[in-house]
Amino acid sequence: MKKEDQARSLLGISLTDRPTWQQFLICSSGFFFGYLVNGICEEYVYNRLNFSYGWYFTFVQGFVYLALIYLQGFTIKQMVNPWKTYGRLSAVLMGSHGLTKGSLAYLNYPAQIMFKSTKVLPVMVMGAFIPGLRRKYPLHEYISALLLVVGLILFTLADANSSPNFSVVGIVMIVGALFMDSFVGNFQEAIFTTNPETTQTEMLFCSTVVGLPMLLLPMILTGELFTAWNSCAEHPYVYGVLVFEAMATFVGQVSVLSLIALFGAATTAMVTTARKAVTLLLSYIIFTKPLTEQHGSGLLLIAMGIILKLVLDSKPPARAVAGNPSTSSSTPTPMRFRRTEEHIMKQNGDREEDEEKNPLV
């Protein structure tokens, strides 16, 4: 877990004073709930109603986010980071979203899923290059991520009809989206790290405010703004579905930001990747699709990756126990050791670390 003095809460539920496993369970549950509902609503709107206006729906979703944040009592006066920080973050978010959507014109869905499933690996690599973060991961986390990625790819492509269709343009676009995705998660973690007073609500609010105007350009250029407006005006009940979806996704978004603040971008990426596997598995169970040996192999690799990370992460570092044998049982030794180490670094006023923080905030 990340070492911060800032009290963290999720939709009124205090996280700071809870054990690490409870924090992880609460945040992960909120994320799974939000995006499971999101998937059901998207299935209904896109496939059942044949409304494929992704940019417009994201635009509507943004206003719902702002309304929910306003009801929570957040104001601009509570901001602790400058607008330019969120300008950079929103620009990358929009670039990732646009490239992901645009790649479907050149790649079929299985091919896109296969590429997007590898997200956790570039997130871990990118963490070493982000100013103010410079995160390095142990070997077992890379192995765990690789098992998870390969398992999800096997499961995704297990259907006999799921044959990836590759295009050079599509590959370039989806690789660009992956690069931006890896930057987003680490950038968010760096903001939380360099300025622990940053709240999840602030990050979501500012990213939405800056990102909404950026949505107008692609909607106007593609003509989607007017087409979607007229279509939804003829079927106003669609807005009800969109508002419900946005409320659920809001829970998921805040939960993801809580995971990033507490556990880091790489762990969050693993959770989001595992969510795809759970969603696919539920679709097979609910719609009684046959599970093949390849499905089983994929699930086995996914389980191995998750178990490997959980087991090895739960073991306390040997140096922490040796360095402080008298640590009270009320506070886990590894956490206390890491907090002491961080306190010493702050007292020494490490100039190199300060220089890395400046470009972010």
Side-chain angles (χ1 to χ4, degrees):
M1 191 182 76
K2 294 174 68 65
K3 294 76 68 180
E4 298 177 353
D5 296 327
Q6 167 70 15
R8 296 288 172 192
S9 63
L10 175 60
L11 300 176
I13 302 174
S14 177
L15 299 173
T16 307
D17 299 328
R18 296 177 182 270
T20 301
W21 70 269
Q22 287 189 15
Q23 295 177 356
F24 185 80
L25 182 62
I26 292 172
C27 296
S28 299
S29 299
F31 166 72
F32 271 79
F33 164 78
Y35 281 91
L36 183 61
V37 174
N38 172 266
I40 294 172
C41 292
E42 283 191 349
E43 173 76 17
Y44 177 73
V45 173
Y46 283 88
N47 296 336
R48 298 292 180 87
L49 302 180
N50 294 319
F51 284 94
S52 56
Y53 307 119
W55 293 108
Y56 183 76
F57 292 163
T58 304
F59 191 67
V60 174
Q61 187 180 70
F63 283 101
V64 177
Y65 284 0
L66 295 180
L68 292 173
I69 293 172
Y70 174 77
L71 291 176
Q72 287 186 322
F74 179 83
T75 63
I76 296 179
K77 294 181 180 179
Q78 299 174 21
M79 287 177 57
V80 296
N81 294 303
W83 282 105
K84 65 179 182 181
T85 299
Y86 297 109
R88 298 169 186 170
L89 179 62
S90 297
V92 179
L93 278 168
M94 288 303 305
S96 172
H97 186 70
L99 288 173
T100 300
K101 285 174 57 65
S103 67
L104 283 174
Y106 304 94
L107 300 174
N108 61 3
Y109 191 68
Q112 190 200 67
I113 287 293
M114 193 172 73
F115 278 99
K116 293 289 283 185
S117 299
T118 66
K119 174 183 174 179
V120 62
L121 294 175
V123 165
M124 295 175 73
V125 173
M126 180 66 75
F129 301 97
I130 298 294
L133 194 60
R134 307 294 186 188
R135 181 176 292 278
K136 295 182 180 180
Y137 298 93
L139 179 61
H140 79 267
E141 293 210 22
Y142 285 101
I143 296 174
S144 175
L146 185 62
L147 289 171
L148 187 65
V149 167
V150 174
L152 183 56
I153 290 174
L154 282 177
F155 191 93
T156 303
L157 304 180
D159 289 335
N161 296 327
S162 294
S163 54
N165 180 26
F166 297 100
S167 165
V168 175
V169 177
I171 291 175
V172 171
M173 294 180 71
I174 200 65
V175 169
L178 279 174
F179 175 81
M180 292 186 175
D181 282 342
S182 65
F183 182 82
V184 167
N186 282 298
F187 192 18
Q188 290 172 328
E189 181 182 356
I191 293 172
F192 284 125
T193 302
T194 57
N195 197 341
E197 295 182 357
T198 305
T199 63
Q200 304 94 302
T201 304
E202 175 187 327
M203 186 169 291
L204 184 57
F205 171 80
C206 296
S207 299
T208 303
V209 169
V210 177
L212 279 176
M214 296 182 183
L215 289 169
L216 289 172
L217 181 61
M219 284 194 296
I220 293 173
L221 292 177
T222 60
E224 183 175 315
L225 176 61
F226 309 104
T227 305
W229 174 270
N230 293 330
S231 298
C232 292
E234 296 177 3
H235 305 86
Y237 61 89
V238 173
Y239 285 111
V241 179
L242 293 179
V243 170
F244 179 72
E245 175 191 3
M247 293 173 66
T249 310
F250 177 82
V251 176
Q253 286 277 9
V254 177
S255 300
V256 165
L257 293 174
S258 300
L259 281 170
I260 292 174
L262 294 169
F263 298 95
T267 299
T268 304
M270 291 191 71
V271 173
T272 58
T273 302
R275 191 268 307 176
K276 296 177 184 176
V278 172
T279 302
L280 288 170
L281 180 60
L282 285 175
S283 70
Y284 275 80
I285 295 175
I286 294 173
F287 297 104
T288 62
K289 302 176 184 178
L291 291 172
T292 65
E293 292 182 359
Q294 187 172 337
H295 287 108
S297 300
L299 289 174
L300 179 62
L301 290 174
I302 291 170
M304 289 173 60
I306 294 174
I307 292 173
L308 176 65
K309 178 171 175 59
L310 292 177
V311 170
L312 294 182
D313 281 357
S314 64
K315 291 184 178 180
R319 64 170 184 167
V321 177
N324 191 6
S326 61
T327 301
S328 171
S329 59
S330 63
T331 303
T333 302
M335 178 59 67
R336 178 166 294 188
F337 178 83
R338 292 197 296 268
R339 283 178 176 169
T340 303
E341 191 175 46
E342 182 185 0
H343 181 67
I344 294 173
M345 289 181 64
K346 287 182 178 179
Q347 284 184 329
N348 291 337
D350 191 344
R351 294 181 180 179
E352 182 177 338
E353 184 178 344
D354 289 340
E355 289 176 358
E356 289 181 347
K357 292 178 183 179
N358 289 335
L360 285 176
V361 294

